[in-house]
Amino acid sequence: MFAVSPERLRALITAFHEEMRRGLAGEPGSLKMLPAYVDIPTGKERGPFLALDMGGTNVRILWADLPGNRSVPVLVGDLFQLSRDQISADAGVLFGAIARFIGRFLRTRGLTGPQRMGFTFSFAIRQRSIARGELIGWTKGWTAQGVVGRDVVELLNRALAEEGVAGVRVVSLNNDTTGTLMAGAYLDPDCDVGCILGTGTNICYRERTAAIRKPVGPYDKEFMIINTESGNFNAALPRTRFDALLDAGSENPGLQAEEKMVSGKYLGELVRLVVADVCTEGFLFGGRLPALFAVPGGFGTERLSEIEADVSPNADGTLALLGEAGGGAAPGDARFLREVVRSVSGRAARLAAAVLAAIVSKNDPGLDATHVIAVDGSLFEKYPGFRARMEETFRELYGERAGCLRLAPVSDGSGFGAAVIAAASSSG
Ligand code: GLC
């Protein structure tokens, strides 16, 4: 069920091109194709900036001193985790927590005086300029009331004022993919795609401004970055009945179809649904479902990583893991579970690769140029074999020309990229 043939991937790529065309023309479709009002940096951007990165597993704040010579900046940062309540209450609670976190960072790092800040907000935002944008809709399980349709920069500024955090000026707003592309392109001028493979997944790329046929706000550069919101892609996807089940139980049914097959928030749940089904049929765990698989969301993608790392011939590591979690598992159960994990993660990596290939091949069908793809996110960084399977898929699709697609991990990209955007937009 989870195998995807090269023909299927090629059909997906063709469908993706059509959805891109529609999105750029403002026609109805599954790709929003959101203008980001920024082009890749010159690499000469310099100076100290704050960067706030919000919308993944953790909230991050960074102080970045850009060197202006295409090298990694000095970064000083802190992390904090928002609680389930904070992401599901309302705008005041959410942005209040963020503002207090920023205040604490400034105090503990002794940062006084005016600070310019770039803001990475990892959701779909409708922008008309670089320094503001409204949330189109939540994804990844976030649901805070009173944010959809509002300018998130204004919400942040208001919270900073209410919490008495003075001196911070938000000069730019961007999606995390855009931040990652900007960080990648700051380091390497061949970088023209930014990709997140983490809790969620999404891709942005560099497009000719003239190719954006829908109305665009004031912008005078020849190229502009487009946030595709590829996680919402929903045409020619090889969905199974488990994908439909997962969707029905999610916070945003009917949306983010590709993301729900690819990203870290969902892979564990997909495996859980398959296991629960096969167990109900009586073919696993003697028909009694272990507690580990009993609760929706209870089997996380970290577990998948552990199982994936088990390369023993008989899945001994997986058996031990099942034993630790309680419940009686036989060696056959462990081998089956590992096979399910490999199938679900394998499909995810192949789809992730195909969607990247679709984006690059829209404007370079012959893969004549080198495309450095900046990638950030926990799934790509930490999941055993994910990157290798993506690269294998590129080769399957393009043979030798696959060498033109170069995956480049940029850790902290979505954070330091916000500083690059802040610098690029401050200097005009
Ligand atoms: C979700 C968001 C998107 C973001 C991605 C990765 O798909 O809608 O904006 O880039 O997650 O964090």
Side-chain angles (χ1 to χ4, degrees):
M1 284 177 96
F2 289 89
V4 193
S5 67
E7 294 69 45
R8 204 64 208 256
L9 293 180
R10 289 202 176 89
L12 183 153
I13 291 172
T14 307
F16 201 95
H17 287 160
E18 171 58 12
E19 293 290 286
M20 287 177 89
R21 188 199 63 74
R22 287 190 201 178
L24 288 173
E27 294 169 15
S30 64
L31 294 178
K32 296 187 184 68
M33 306 295 282
L34 303 166
Y37 295 90
V38 67
D39 187 21
I40 56 169
T42 58
K44 298 205 176 81
E45 293 75 8
R46 35 182 324 142
F49 288 88
L50 287 177
L52 172 69
D53 185 358
M54 152 180 184
T57 318
N58 297 300
V59 179
R60 263 160 205 282
I61 179 129
L62 292 175
W63 177 88
D65 196 6
L66 302 173
N69 62 1
R70 295 207 179 281
S71 57
V72 179
V74 175
L75 298 175
V76 178
D78 275 342
L79 276 185
F80 98 115
Q81 212 165 7
L82 288 163
S83 66
R84 183 114 277 286
D85 287 348
Q86 285 165 332
I87 65 173
S88 54
D90 60 38
V93 169
L94 178 62
F95 284 92
I98 304 281
R100 285 192 297 280
F101 170 60
I102 297 174
R104 231 176 14 247
F105 179 77
L106 296 177
R107 277 195 307 280
T108 55
R109 303 292 175 171
L111 295 165
T112 51
Q115 310 280 340
R116 288 171 297 178
M117 186 165 90
F119 180 12
T120 293
F121 184 71
S122 309
F123 298 95
I125 35 183
R126 179 161 292 120
Q127 293 186 263
R128 291 261 312 151
S129 65
I130 191 63
R132 49 181 302 168
E134 290 117 43
L135 173 63
I136 298 175
W138 286 123
T139 48
K140 300 177 282 195
W142 291 49
T143 54
Q145 298 295 305
V147 189
V148 173
R150 303 282 303 279
D151 175 9
V152 293
V153 175
E154 194 187 308
L155 291 175
L156 178 61
N157 280 334
R158 184 173 306 170
L160 287 167
E162 276 168 12
E163 297 293 335
V165 181
V168 175
R169 191 159 62 88
V170 181
V171 297
S172 55
L173 172 69
N174 60 271
N175 183 260
D176 51 350
T177 53
T178 312
T180 302
L181 195 166
M182 292 296 279
Y186 188 75
L187 303 174
D188 183 339
D190 282 339
C191 177
D192 58 1
V193 179
C195 173
I196 300 287
L197 285 163
T199 310
T201 184
N202 186 14
I203 305 167
C204 73
Y205 73 109
R206 193 172 184 232
E207 181 59 277
R208 274 179 312 113
T209 310
I212 311 169
R213 291 178 37 231
K214 62 189 171 188
V216 178
Y219 183 80
D220 58 12
K221 298 197 172 117
E222 193 189 348
F223 288 89
M224 162 131 73
I225 293 169
I226 298 284
N227 167 16
T228 66
E229 285 292 320
S230 58
N232 195 48
F233 176 64
N234 192 5
L237 283 173
R239 293 179 85 221
T240 67
R241 65 191 163 91
F242 299 109
D243 297 295
L245 261 180
L246 179 140
D247 181 58
S250 70
E251 285 92 352
N252 51 353
L255 299 173
Q256 302 295 105
E258 190 258 2
E259 179 161 86
K260 287 171 182 165
M261 302 169 88
V262 168
S263 79
K265 181 171 168 53
Y266 303 103
L267 298 184
E269 180 65 3
L270 271 176
V271 169
R272 190 191 74 82
L273 289 168
V274 175
V275 166
D277 185 77
V278 180
C279 184
T280 309
E281 299 291 321
F283 297 119
L284 258 184
F285 305 119
R288 282 190 314 276
L289 192 64
L292 190 58
F293 302 103
V295 187
F299 191 73
T301 301
E302 328 73 64
R303 291 277 189 194
L304 267 60
S305 282
E306 286 169 45
I307 295 173
E308 198 85 46
D310 171 13
V311 291
S312 63
N314 287 318
D316 301 329
T318 308
L319 187 63
L321 190 144
L322 284 168
E324 279 160 28
D333 296 331
R335 283 198 301 273
F336 182 85
L337 172 61
R338 184 173 66 180
E339 212 43 52
V340 176
V341 167
R342 287 176 175 169
S343 309
V344 167
S345 66
R347 185 185 71 166
R350 288 172 71 72
L351 292 178
V355 168
L356 275 172
I359 286 182
V360 172
S361 63
K362 171 187 172 285
N363 289 339
D364 183 7
L367 294 190
D368 296 319
T370 297
H371 302 272
V372 173
I373 300 167
V375 193
D376 196 3
S378 43
L379 188 68
F380 185 78
E381 263 181 48
K382 300 196 183 130
Y383 198 94
F386 206 87
R387 175 182 184 168
R389 282 180 288 182
M390 288 178 71
E391 285 168 343
E392 205 176 288
T393 309
F394 288 155
R395 283 193 295 276
E396 216 176 281
L397 290 168
Y398 298 108
E400 272 180 12
R401 283 179 310 156
C404 292
L405 300 172
R406 288 201 353 237
L407 297 171
V410 185
S411 78
D412 261 337
S414 61
F416 116 62
V420 175
I421 298 174
S425 39
S426 303
S427 61

